[in-house]
């Protein structure tokens, strides 16, 4: 079958609008999450003992009192680890349990294993740890000043930025910051480890990265990788939070299971989950930009300082992506992007939907806004003259040529469909007529690179079996976190065999079925695993074709798989009959498939290359209203147009766009992480940390998938990745709030408003703008 096109005369083939395979199970409670697996005999539960200090030397740990408690089986410390106390995903020396120093308030220092959760929970308080408190670094600013990094700063540079800025007609500089974000997945971090024969270990773990969990368990237990199996059927949300952080839970559960020879479950309660595990990186930006009289950027020097936290974790990838999206849709001829991974005594930050790109894009959007305000022009005009070209001005700061640029067409189409110019005029009028309430509006264009920055991660495997009754078993290295990957890959297999989707059994991800996998991340899950499953299915189909040709006595090329049957001229047999026949002929009905993304390369030292196979585009216009007396804001309307290529499943993609936008809105408006002056997280539950609710969804919420836009690069059936890009469309909400605040100062003053734009922050920005406007 041609990978460029899928025919559509079966139920649930590629491009069909089929619902998520678990939709009914999700809403009826029949979907099995790890905590729903029937309790194993003798299962124990474990709870972490965590450091109350942001930075402290661990002087001694006295476990005797805790261990004496009825029902407590073990209290484990770093010294009990038989292998290496290291689960670093990129570098080294990132411990499961702190040994000599605790580096953030919440750092696990011991693990109490007991008959029941409540016993472990209370016994954890009886573990007496003596600390010598040290002076922590709690802010990005301080880490920058002291040059404390988790790894060396990273720079992308092209041309002569400083020279260009100095020669430019105008020079503008400024600062902006954005906050972090907790993943707030519905299902918290969880792992259930079950010891097997000798040192074998199987761990059911809510993870986006079973292979890395497998490596973590193998390292910590000091056993070969082939003795460890990780299984995950589905996650109750992950959003990047279970890419590396889940390894801590898997490794700790496996350690406890190995020690007690009993199954052990670790399920973090919400407060512990929020305190112990990493989040989206908050960033501080500084920029100097040189422009010509029209506002075209000639040179830019942009600092991006991220809160890496106590260790590097995935910060290298996140920072690389932030730097690679510091251009968003704009051509920056002379450019220096300086990335600083600041080491602080706060939890190590990690992957979160967008993986640094939202932060990088937010910064350049503020630069664009600043140019507009300085020149008293519209932001959209400044955007337009700085957009990447198609045949010139089309090379990114990291050296990749943008070959599939559709941003101008896409934003024009959106603007004309929603009468953007008229609505801007209406808002002017509204604001002239209203003193207390002010409206704002903004467009956000998005260009997002698809592929992991590190080329070696862009590979995937699949395992497909056809059984003699014609039913198909599907397995691949991707994981399901609610994003609909499993149904999309099943649709691909259905299309190859031309059989209805209900014939395909979706199965749990397991490291012993498909080995050496990448994390399901970077939105590349369906691109990679879809193609691997396609390749596996094609192999089996090729063999079955040979059997059919022999049966019908025709050439292979005369055999056609169509509507659940196999045809040769006027004759046909069912798919099941052919499966049975193939088996009887002693031909294998099982195959593995493999795929690697072509044409990508990356020089991690120079930060140059062609890291992305293609780009995906989107645009959104948001209209907001703010109350200048209270600082409250409301999104009145959002219209978005998202490029999904030739969507594998518009129903699933629609949900992804909707969810990503609302999650992005939360990041930028209501979700605020607050630490006290000792570095303790104060917002560790829903009472103090406000994720968006159903009533925060804009009353007018129009989502459109760009029609007739197959991927220009050959991906699985010309689809495009969709998981992360629409999150960045929500930056339009934040920009619109800034626009509303700026109306107080007649639009020329840059509002002093960082993200998140909480009511407090908006109110302060309003008062600040008012005061400056009077001067
Ligand atoms: N959608 C749901 N429902 N739950 C999630 O956890 N994670 C997002 C996105 N959509 C997520 C989600 C993130 S961070 C990524 S990278 C992609 O899904 C991963 O899946 P994909 O590669 O299959 O798109
Ligand atoms: Mo997504 S942040 O790449 O897991």
């Amino acid at each position: 079958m041609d990978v460029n096109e899928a025919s559509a005369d079966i139920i649930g083939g590629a491009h069909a609008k089929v619902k998520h395979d678990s939709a009914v199970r999700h809403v009826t409670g029949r979907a099995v999450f790890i905590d729903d697996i029937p309790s194993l005999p003798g299962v124990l539960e474990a709870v972490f003992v965590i450091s109350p200090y942001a930075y402290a030397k661990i002087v001694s740990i006295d476990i005797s009192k805790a261990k004496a408690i009825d029902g407590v089986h073990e209290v484990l410390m770093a010294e009990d680890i038989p292998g290496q106390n290291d689960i670093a995903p990129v570098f080294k020396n990132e411990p499961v349990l702190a040994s000599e120093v605790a580096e953030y308030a919440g750092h696990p220092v011991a693990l109490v294993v007991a008959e029941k959760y409540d016993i472990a929970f209370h016994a954890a308080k009886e573990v007496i740890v003596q600390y010598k408190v040290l002076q922590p670094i709690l802010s990005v600013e301080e880490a920058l000043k002291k040059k404390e990094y988790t790894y060396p700063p990273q720079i992308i540079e092209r041309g002569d930025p400083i020279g260009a800025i100095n020669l430019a007609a105008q020079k503008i500089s400024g600062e902006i910051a954005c906050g972090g974000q907790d993943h707030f997945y519905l299902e918290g971090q969880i792992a259930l480890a079950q010891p097997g024969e000798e040192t074998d270990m199987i761990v059911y773990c809510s993870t986006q990265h079973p292979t890395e969990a497998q490596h973590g368990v193998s390292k910590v237990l000091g056993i070969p990788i082939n003795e460890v199996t990780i299984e995950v059927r589905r996650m109750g949300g992950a959003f990047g939070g279970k890419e590396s952080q889940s390894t801590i839970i898997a490794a700790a559960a496996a350690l406890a299971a190995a020690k007690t020879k009993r199954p052990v479950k670790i399920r973090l309660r919400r407060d512990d989950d929020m305190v112990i595990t990493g989040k989206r990186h908050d960033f501080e930006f500084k920029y100097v930009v040189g422009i010509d009289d029209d506002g075209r950027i000639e040179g830019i020097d942009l600092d991006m300082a991220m809160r890496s936290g106590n260790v590097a974790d995935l910060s290298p990838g996140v920072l690389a992506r932030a730097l690679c999206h510091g251009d968003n849709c704009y051509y920056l001829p002379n450019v220096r992007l300086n990335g600083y991974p600041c080491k602080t005594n706060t939890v190590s930050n990690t992957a979160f939907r967008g993986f640094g790109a939202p932060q990088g894009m937010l910064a350049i959007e503020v630069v664009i806004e600043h140019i507009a305000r300085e020149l008293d022009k519209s932001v959209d005009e400044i955007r337009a003259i700085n957009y990447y070209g198609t045949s010139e001005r089309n090379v990114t700061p990291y050296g990749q040529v943008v070959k599939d640029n559709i941003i101008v067409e896409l934003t024009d189409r959106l603007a004309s469909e929603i009468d953007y110019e008229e609505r801007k005029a209406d808002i002017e009028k509204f604001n002239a007529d209203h003193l207390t309430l002010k409206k704002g509006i903004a467009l956000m264009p998005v260009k997002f690179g698809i592929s992991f920055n590190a080329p070696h991660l862009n590979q995937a495997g699949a395992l497909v079996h056809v059984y003699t009754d014609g039913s198909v078993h599907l397995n691949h290295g991707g994981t399901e976190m609610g994003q609909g990957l499993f149904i999309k890959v099943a649709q691909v297999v259905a299309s190859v065999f031309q059989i209805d989707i209900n014939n395909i059994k979706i199965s749990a991800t397991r490291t012993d079925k498909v080995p050496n996998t990448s994390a399901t991340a970077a939105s590349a899950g369906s691109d990679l695993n879809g193609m691997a499953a396609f390749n596996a299915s094609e192999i089996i189909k090729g063999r079955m074709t040979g059997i059919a040709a022999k049966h019908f006595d025709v050439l292979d090329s005369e055999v056609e798989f169509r509507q659940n049957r196999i045809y040769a001229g006027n004759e046909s047999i069912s798919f099941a009959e052919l499966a049975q026949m193939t088996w009887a002929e002693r031909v294998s009905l099982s195959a593995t498939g493999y795929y690697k993304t072509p044409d990508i390369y990356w020089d991690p030292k120079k930060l140059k290359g062609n890291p992305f196979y293609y780009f995906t585009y989107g645009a959104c216009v948001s209209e907001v209203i703010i109350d200048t007396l209270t600082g409250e804001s409301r999104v009145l309307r959002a219209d978005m147009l998202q490029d999904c290529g030739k969507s594998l499943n518009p129903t699933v993609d629609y949900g992804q766009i909707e969810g990503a936008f609302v999650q992005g809105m939360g990041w930028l408006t209501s979700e605020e992480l607050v630490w006290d002056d000792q570095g303790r997280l104060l917002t560790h539950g829903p009472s103090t940390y406000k994720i968006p609710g159903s009533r925060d969804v804009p009353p007018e919420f129009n989502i459109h998938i760009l029609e007739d836009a197959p991927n220009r690069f050959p991906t699985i059936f010309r689809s495009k990745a969709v998981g992360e890009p629409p999150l960045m469309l929500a930056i339009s909400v934040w920009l619109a709030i800034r626009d509303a605040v700026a109306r107080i100062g007649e639009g020329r003053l840059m509002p002093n408003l960082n993200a998140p734009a909480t009511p407090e922050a908006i109110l302060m920005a309003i008062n600040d703008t008012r005061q400056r406007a009077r001067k």
Side-chain angles (χ1 to χ4, degrees), residues 25-229:
R25 273 174 261 172
H26 285 155
V27 295
T28 54
R30 297 206 310 273
V32 174
F33 294 87
I34 288 167
D35 214 23
D36 301 317
I37 295 173
S39 194
L40 297 163
V43 69
L44 304 173
E45 295 208 43
V47 169
F48 286 113
V49 178
I50 59 178
S51 166
Y53 303 109
Y55 192 30
K57 196 172 177 331
I58 299 167
V59 179
S60 65
I61 305 179
D62 181 359
I63 62 167
S64 54
K65 211 171 149 201
K67 227 178 157 176
I69 294 171
D70 210 25
V72 172
H73 283 241
E74 281 285 358
V75 180
L76 301 167
M77 296 169 287
E79 65 194 52
D80 297 307
I81 291 174
Q84 300 166 48
N85 186 13
D86 184 7
I87 47 162
V90 180
F91 296 121
K92 275 197 164 61
N93 298 324
E94 298 180 12
V96 186
L97 294 171
S99 58
E100 277 149 29
V101 283
E103 288 195 304
Y104 67 94
H107 207 162
V109 296
L111 184 69
V112 179
V113 193
E115 297 280 337
K116 284 195 167 68
Y117 180 88
D118 287 352
I119 299 174
F121 182 77
H122 292 291
K125 299 195 174 101
E126 304 298 333
V127 175
I128 299 154
V129 187
Q130 270 201 337
Y131 295 96
K132 182 173 177 290
V133 179
L134 305 167
Q135 188 62 39
I137 293 178
L138 297 175
S139 71
V140 169
E141 206 184 346
E142 191 183 347
L144 259 185
K145 211 184 289 163
K146 295 188 170 151
K147 294 194 162 54
E148 286 285 343
Y149 308 120
T150 52
Y151 66 100
Q154 307 286 305
I155 297 172
I156 293 182
E157 191 166 7
R158 170 175 60 196
D160 178 13
I162 306 303
I165 292 167
N166 289 334
L167 284 177
Q170 272 207 61
K171 186 167 152 177
I172 299 170
S173 59
E175 296 180 12
I176 195 78
C178 64
Q181 184 177 23
D182 191 86
H183 302 85
F184 224 98
Y185 22 59
L186 279 178
E187 178 206 36
Q189 302 273 1
I190 182 166
L192 169 63
Q194 188 183 0
E197 200 172 80
E198 302 293 348
T199 51
D200 289 357
M201 189 66 66
I202 171 160
V203 186
Y204 301 88
C205 179
S206 184
T207 179
Q208 291 169 255
H209 202 342
T211 290
E212 196 165 280
Q214 183 192 28
H215 292 181
V217 170
S218 139
K219 262 199 202 165
V220 165
L221 297 186
I223 57 176
I225 295 174
N226 67 3
E227 294 187 0
V228 182
T229 303

Side-chain angles (χ1 to χ4, degrees), residues 237-240 353 481-483 485 520-526 656 723-724:
F239 310 110
R353 208 169 193 171
M481 56 195 97
Q483 87 279 39
L485 172 65
T520 306
S523 304
S526 53
Q656 284 292 291
E724 296 166 286

Side-chain angles (χ1 to χ4, degrees), residues 31 42 205 282 353 376 750:
C205 179
D282 46 317
R353 208 169 193 171
D376 203 11
M750 281 291 275

Side-chain angles (χ1 to χ4, degrees), residues 446-692:
V446 170
K447 163 182 131 289
F448 188 81
I450 301 299
S451 301
F452 292 90
N453 262 77
H456 67 270
L457 299 175
N458 296 285
Q459 56 172 316
L463 175 67
V464 175
H465 308 313
V466 175
Y467 293 102
T468 49
D469 63 352
S471 65
V472 177
H473 179 93
L474 168 62
N475 198 269
H476 54 80
T479 58
E480 177 64 43
M481 56 195 97
Q483 87 279 39
L485 172 65
F486 281 9
I487 188 74
K488 283 185 174 178
V489 180
Q491 287 172 265
V492 168
V493 175
S495 281
V496 174
F497 291 122
Q498 287 295 302
I499 55 176
D500 297 342
I501 190 125
N502 60 359
N503 294 297
I504 293 154
K505 181 75 190 172
I506 287 169
S507 63
T509 316
R510 275 181 74 110
T511 52
D512 56 354
K513 278 194 178 167
V514 175
N516 311 322
T517 56
S518 287
T520 306
S523 304
S526 53
D527 283 15
L528 295 171
N529 296 287
M531 207 61 121
F534 176 89
N535 289 338
S537 307
E538 275 288 307
I539 293 169
I540 300 171
K541 186 184 179 185
R543 296 183 196 140
M544 292 176 84
T545 302
I547 302 299
K550 200 169 140 197
H551 169 75
F552 292 121
D553 196 17
V554 296
L555 296 172
D556 278 17
S557 58
E558 291 170 277
V559 173
E560 192 191 355
F561 286 59
R562 177 161 40 97
Q563 285 179 310
N564 299 294
R565 297 188 70 79
I566 288 79
Y567 291 85
N570 291 333
E571 284 184 283
S572 79
I573 52 174
S574 70
F575 184 76
E577 282 167 329
L578 180 57
Q580 172 71 29
M581 223 176 257
T582 307
W583 171 80
E585 292 282 342
R586 296 189 295 171
V587 169
S588 169
L589 284 167
S590 173
T592 60
Y594 179 76
Y595 176 73
K596 62 177 174 185
T597 312
D599 307 326
I600 46 172
Y601 55 91
W602 181 241
D603 181 336
K605 289 214 172 71
K606 295 198 182 110
L607 303 189
K608 295 270 174 187
N610 202 68
F612 307 123
Y613 185 37
Y614 63 90
F615 294 98
T616 165
Y617 299 86
C620 177
V621 170
S622 291
E623 181 177 332
V624 304
I625 189 161
I626 60 170
D627 182 332
T628 58
L629 296 179
T630 64
E632 285 163 290
S633 74
R634 184 98 180 84
V635 185
L636 297 174
R637 176 170 168 186
D639 295 88
M640 57 202 85
L641 188 54
Q642 177 65 44
D643 168 24
C644 296
K646 193 159 169 25
S647 170
L648 274 180
N649 184 331
T651 301
V652 164
D653 286 357
Y654 193 96
Q656 284 292 291
I657 298 167
E658 193 172 41
F661 179 87
V662 174
Q663 192 166 40
M665 235 176 69
W667 169 49
L668 295 163
T669 60
S670 68
E671 297 181 41
E672 189 176 24
L673 294 162
V674 182
W675 281 269
D676 70 8
D677 59 1
Q678 303 296 304
R680 286 173 299 224
L681 183 65
L682 297 174
T683 48
H684 48 75
S687 57
T688 46
Y689 185 80
K690 174 72 180 76
I691 61 168

